Amino acid sequence: MTSVSFDDAIPIVNERAEYLRKSIYSADELNLEFTNDYLIKNWLDKNAISVVFGDSNSGKSFFAVDLAYHVASGKNWFGNRVKAGQVLYIAAEGGRGFNKRIAAVKNNKPDLHEAGRKNLNILSVQIDLHGAEDAEAIKDQTNKQDYNLLVIDTLAMSIGEGSENDGRDMGMFLTNINQLKAHFNCHVMIIHHTGKDKSKGARGHSSLRAALDTEIAIKVDGSIRTAKVTKQRDMESGKKVAFTLDIVGLGLDSEGEVITSCIVKQTDVPESVTKKKKLSGYDEVAFQALHEAITKHGRYIKNSEHFPSSRKIVDDEHWFNAFKLRRSNDDAKPDTIRKSFNRARGKLQEYDYIREYENKIWCIDEPDRQDK
């Protein structure tokens, strides 16, 4: 019988432990790189996660297709530099509608289509990123770093049996998103819908917004749509671009009727977006009450990515109490006061005066009152 030597045995390696070991470095080894690893300069970083959200029929998917084409072609997007690369666009809602959007670009923006067509890859099937199977399948059918941009359109059609409002389900979805991002070392853009309370942005569990590097809101004002950055982890927030959706004909169907789609056309940001709406009535009272609450109870929160470090943050109950004091002579019922406060709170968010996270409020643009 042949003796077994432990010297010849292959040691069992914990791959995760080995990865973490190799990832640890000392402060002395720090090498700060000044290269800008962007996908779209000043808008999207390469290795990051973003959400584009808006109401139904706001044009968010047309916006995403146009953006994807610009990344695939390397052509400037709304005047911003773009690094060309491979794109995988997962059109999870499928159907003929998406193919019409591609045809619209091909027919009406031939230069953009010709420059980007070989780099723009389309997966037009519903996927399930609530479980791990589809995420693994997407990784297995490609090689590492095949893609620079991965678009998930939409979250609702990609979360399977999971619920957008459940923290555990959203956590599983985000785990798969992060694995795809890490596998391809790419930017992942998720197309999503506005919640019932429009002042609170994209619908679903708060863990989604917490995980984002960039959040872009699409809003409609007449025929003009605006895309505004409402969250930016490492870059300037508040940037805006505006566009229209021009209806284009694609040909005739079998019954002789015109088949149409839309293309994105850049336009100027309307003055109604660049200028804040003037406050009046209880909206103005609520804003005054907020300044009072911030002065008395505001605090800087420096150790959380959810709050701007240069703004004082106040709890919404302090704000509501200040609002109630300002209406103490109205003889209004408590329920009426609460309703007027909630309406004003929504308006102040809609008009871009304030932001909030987990019932903590701050002002967006009050450097004379807010910044140190």
Side-chain angles (χ1 to χ4, degrees):
M1 184 175 179
T2 305
S3 61
V4 177
S5 171
F6 280 102
D7 294 336
D8 297 327
I10 299 174
I12 297 174
V13 177
N14 183 320
E15 293 184 0
R16 181 62 175 169
E18 185 67 10
Y19 170 77
L20 294 176
R21 184 187 67 78
K22 291 180 179 180
S23 299
I24 296 172
Y25 59 90
S26 70
D28 186 54
E29 298 173 302
L30 176 65
N31 181 24
L32 183 61
E33 295 183 4
F34 289 93
T35 56
N36 195 333
D37 198 19
Y38 61 85
L39 186 70
I40 298 180
K41 192 163 188 181
N42 300 320
W43 278 76
L44 302 177
D45 282 334
K46 181 183 177 185
N47 192 356
I49 300 173
S50 65
V51 158
V52 174
F53 73 94
D55 292 339
S56 296
N57 301 316
S58 62
K60 54 187 178 291
S61 287
F62 288 105
F63 174 84
V65 168
D66 183 77
L67 185 149
Y69 253 113
H70 280 82
V71 172
S73 67
K75 290 181 176 292
N76 282 7
W77 176 82
F78 287 93
N80 298 282
R81 288 196 290 275
V82 176
K83 288 188 178 178
Q86 289 284 326
V87 178
L88 177 60
Y89 197 113
I90 300 179
E93 294 185 339
R96 295 174 58 232
F98 187 81
N99 291 338
K100 290 195 295 182
R101 293 168 193 170
I102 299 298
V105 176
K106 179 180 179 181
N107 294 348
N108 295 275
K109 295 184 175 182
D111 292 343
L112 182 63
H113 174 76
E114 186 61 29
R117 62 186 177 86
K118 291 184 178 179
N119 285 348
L120 181 57
N121 307 276
I122 300 160
L123 179 61
S124 187
V125 297
Q126 187 173 350
I127 60 172
D128 181 0
L129 295 179
H130 177 252
E133 184 177 357
D134 277 7
E136 289 299 323
I138 292 170
K139 290 190 291 185
D140 290 345
Q141 56 85 36
T142 56
N143 297 317
K144 267 195 171 185
Q145 298 188 8
D146 267 359
Y147 300 120
N148 296 70
L149 172 64
L150 173 60
V151 181
I152 310 291
D153 186 0
T154 60
L155 188 153
M157 297 299 288
S158 304
I159 199 170
E161 295 182 356
S163 168
E164 299 172 8
N165 297 309
D166 184 271
R168 184 173 182 274
D169 289 347
M170 185 61 77
M172 295 171 69
F173 175 84
L174 289 170
T175 294
N176 287 318
I177 291 295
N178 276 292
Q179 288 179 356
L180 290 169
K181 177 173 72 78
H183 179 80
F184 297 119
N185 188 31
C186 73
H187 185 102
V188 180
M189 173 175 283
I190 304 164
I191 312 305
H192 197 23
H193 296 87
T194 305
K196 291 182 180 180
D197 184 349
K198 295 182 181 181
S199 67
K200 294 185 178 179
R203 73 188 187 195
H205 195 267
S206 60
S207 58
L208 173 63
R209 191 170 196 271
L212 301 178
D213 298 282
T214 304
E215 180 185 66
I216 300 173
I218 306 291
K219 293 186 178 181
V220 182
D221 184 3
S223 64
I224 297 178
R225 282 128 167 105
T226 56
K228 178 180 178 180
V229 176
T230 52
K231 176 185 176 181
Q232 197 71 281
R233 192 185 302 276
D234 295 320
M235 293 180 285
E236 178 189 355
S237 186
K239 293 182 292 295
K240 310 176 191 74
V241 294
F243 61 98
T244 58
L245 292 182
D246 287 7
I247 300 174
V248 295
L250 303 177
L252 302 179
D253 64 13
S254 59
E255 297 178 344
E257 295 183 353
V258 178
I259 300 172
T260 63
S261 187
C262 296
I263 57 169
V264 168
K265 185 177 180 180
Q266 182 177 350
T267 188
D268 294 330
V269 177
E271 187 175 318
S272 60
V273 174
T274 58
K275 286 188 176 181
K276 285 186 174 168
K277 293 186 179 180
K278 188 175 181 180
L279 299 177
S280 62
Y282 291 133
D283 300 341
E284 185 175 14
V285 172
F287 196 47
Q288 292 169 351
L290 177 60
H291 282 304
E292 180 182 328
I294 286 173
T295 300
K296 292 182 178 179
H297 306 285
R299 298 289 185 272
Y300 292 102
I301 301 179
K302 299 287 189 180
N303 59 347
S304 174
E305 64 185 25
H306 304 306
F307 305 101
S309 60
S310 62
R311 294 287 186 271
K312 280 187 177 181
I313 316 297
V314 71
D315 189 88
D316 64 349
E317 279 305 305
H318 289 307
W319 180 19
F320 179 55
N321 289 336
F323 181 80
K324 282 194 300 184
L325 283 175
R326 288 174 176 268
R327 293 202 56 187
S328 59
N329 297 323
D330 289 358
D331 294 327
K333 295 180 180 180
D335 185 56
T336 300
I337 294 175
R338 174 61 77 173
K339 286 181 179 178
S340 64
F341 173 77
N342 289 339
R343 282 194 294 268
R345 180 176 183 166
K347 289 291 186 182
L348 289 172
Q349 290 207 55
E350 182 183 345
Y351 297 163
D352 288 333
Y353 278 86
I354 66 169
R355 286 288 181 268
E356 68 173 83
Y357 181 79
E358 293 187 343
N359 297 322
K360 291 180 173 55
I361 320 295
W362 64 94
C363 294
I364 295 177
D365 298 318
E366 288 293 310
D368 57 323
R369 305 191 192 200
Q370 294 286 296
D371 286 349
K372 283 185 173 181

